[in-house]
Amino acid sequence: MVYNVIMDKASFEYLTEMRRTLNESSDPKAAVVGELKRLGYKPKLSETGVYADVGRGQKTMLSADACDISGAEHMAVLLSVARNARGMKKLCVRFHFKFGDGGDVDGGDNVFDGVSDMYAVRTLCGMNGDGFGYCYGTAFAGSMTFALSFVGGEITSASEYMQSVLNFSAEKYGVTLKVEGCEYTIVYYDSAKGESVLMDIERGALEADDLYRTEHDFAAIKVLPPIVNSALCVDRARAAAEYAVELTPQECSDEYAQYLAVLHGCIVCRRDGDGAAASEYDFLVKLIGVTA
């Protein structure tokens, strides 16, 4: 197949219009649903956002989210691809637009029905050039934020004891520890090491209770496993990118880690700035075989 992945004038004008519409909209979700309907799609709502399909059979899912400022641009790019993919029955693609945290993601979310693999692009500060950054294996570190407090007994001594346990465990397993008051966050690239630190925390808290006659309270606030890219999907993404560079694992993970625990996929990174959205469009249409 010969790919025509040069963004034409009409596609660029549409991309510009969608970027402005989404940035100015007070309800981006409603704007996306309305635009998908205007393009002739039948959008469906899932627990995590909105999706629409092209073709029948096992699908490749392209995903974009609105969790930050760059999210509107990624969604505008995805709408541009959807505009040019409409009616192409030989394609098997699901366009997925994710809004907010979306809650916990699991295999029960119907957005995964009939999907074989998933791709998303993330803006990464500090990237130079027009290429895409990729990473085999763990691409973004996982994290767990929790609150740990004590009541009764010698609270100060118990808290100091736990601080020493946390520092020792973090150094032992090579994870990053961040502390804000009674809230702690551990950042880890290896899930097994993250779990080992959590086991040390529980043991340490019980020891502190015994030593200082306290009762501890442990509450997980947010847990995000590492984002682990599928090697085969990274290979496919590299083949679709005109230019790609290998990245070291980055901070920090997000809900896509839960997506990739359910199906194969990968996230690639691009720079921010002029021309980057057009490059992302070219990359996605080549990835799925859309002709402009």
Side-chain angles (χ1 to χ4, degrees):
M1 179 181 291
V2 177
Y3 298 100
N4 175 18
V5 294
I6 304 300
M7 176 173 275
D8 59 17
K9 181 180 179 182
S11 296
F12 183 78
E13 289 175 348
Y14 178 83
L15 171 62
T16 302
E17 178 188 350
M18 286 300 101
R19 290 166 74 179
R20 180 171 57 250
T21 297
L22 292 173
N23 275 309
E24 294 177 353
S25 175
S26 60
D27 189 348
K29 186 174 183 178
V32 166
V33 170
E35 183 58 21
L36 286 171
K37 289 181 177 179
R38 193 187 73 80
L39 291 173
Y41 289 97
K42 296 179 180 179
K44 300 178 181 178
L45 299 180
S46 74
E47 295 177 8
T48 53
V50 179
Y51 66 92
D53 293 336
V54 175
R56 297 180 178 179
Q58 200 171 48
K59 299 175 178 65
T60 289
M61 184 163 78
L62 304 183
S63 189
D65 67 58
C67 65
D68 55 29
I69 295 175
S70 65
E73 183 168 272
H74 293 304
M75 288 196 296
V77 170
L78 200 56
L79 282 170
S80 299
V81 178
R83 169 181 172 271
N84 286 340
R86 56 186 170 176
M88 298 183 70
K89 296 181 180 179
K90 291 184 179 181
L91 292 179
C92 288
V93 182
R94 173 162 294 172
F95 299 103
H96 173 244
F97 301 83
K98 174 176 166 290
F99 296 88
D101 288 343
D104 290 336
V105 178
D106 58 39
D109 191 335
N110 57 350
V111 74
F112 300 126
D113 292 349
V115 173
S116 61
D117 52 354
M118 171 195 138
Y119 300 84
V121 179
R122 176 183 288 184
T123 300
L124 185 64
C125 296
M127 273 200 67
N128 297 315
D130 294 328
F132 289 84
Y134 66 90
C135 185
Y136 286 98
T138 300
F140 290 88
S143 63
M144 178 176 184
T145 301
F146 59 91
L148 179 63
S149 58
F150 294 90
V151 295
E154 301 174 48
I155 296 175
T156 301
S157 296
S159 299
E160 291 174 349
Y161 181 84
M162 275 309 304
Q163 186 63 61
S164 66
V165 169
L166 284 163
N167 291 338
F168 177 80
S169 184
E171 184 176 355
K172 177 182 177 182
Y173 292 107
V175 307
T176 301
L177 174 65
K178 302 176 182 180
V179 183
E180 292 186 11
C182 291
E183 286 192 8
Y184 301 82
T185 299
I186 57 173
V187 179
Y188 50 91
Y189 295 93
D190 184 325
S191 293
K193 292 182 178 180
E195 291 172 1
S196 294
V197 173
L198 292 179
M199 291 176 65
D200 283 354
I201 292 170
E202 182 61 26
R203 283 194 296 265
L206 291 171
E207 290 170 359
D209 288 343
D210 289 340
L211 289 169
Y212 302 107
R213 304 179 307 283
T214 55
E215 291 185 10
H216 75 274
D217 180 59
F218 178 92
I221 298 172
K222 192 168 188 178
V223 180
L224 294 170
I227 292 177
V228 182
N229 285 337
S230 159
L232 290 176
C233 292
V234 174
D235 286 343
R236 186 180 174 194
R238 289 181 64 188
E242 182 176 346
Y243 174 71
V245 295
E246 186 168 9
L247 300 174
T248 56
Q250 305 286 313
E251 292 188 30
C252 261
S253 180
D254 58 29
E255 286 76 12
Y256 280 127
Q258 299 175 42
Y259 283 51
L260 298 187
V262 178
L263 70 163
H264 297 294
C266 77
I267 290 182
V268 298
C269 300
R270 70 158 169 84
R271 69 176 178 85
D272 194 10
D274 294 340
S279 294
E280 180 180 340
Y281 169 87
D282 291 349
F283 165 73
L284 292 177
V285 297
K286 186 172 181 181
L287 182 70
I288 61 174
V290 175
T291 54

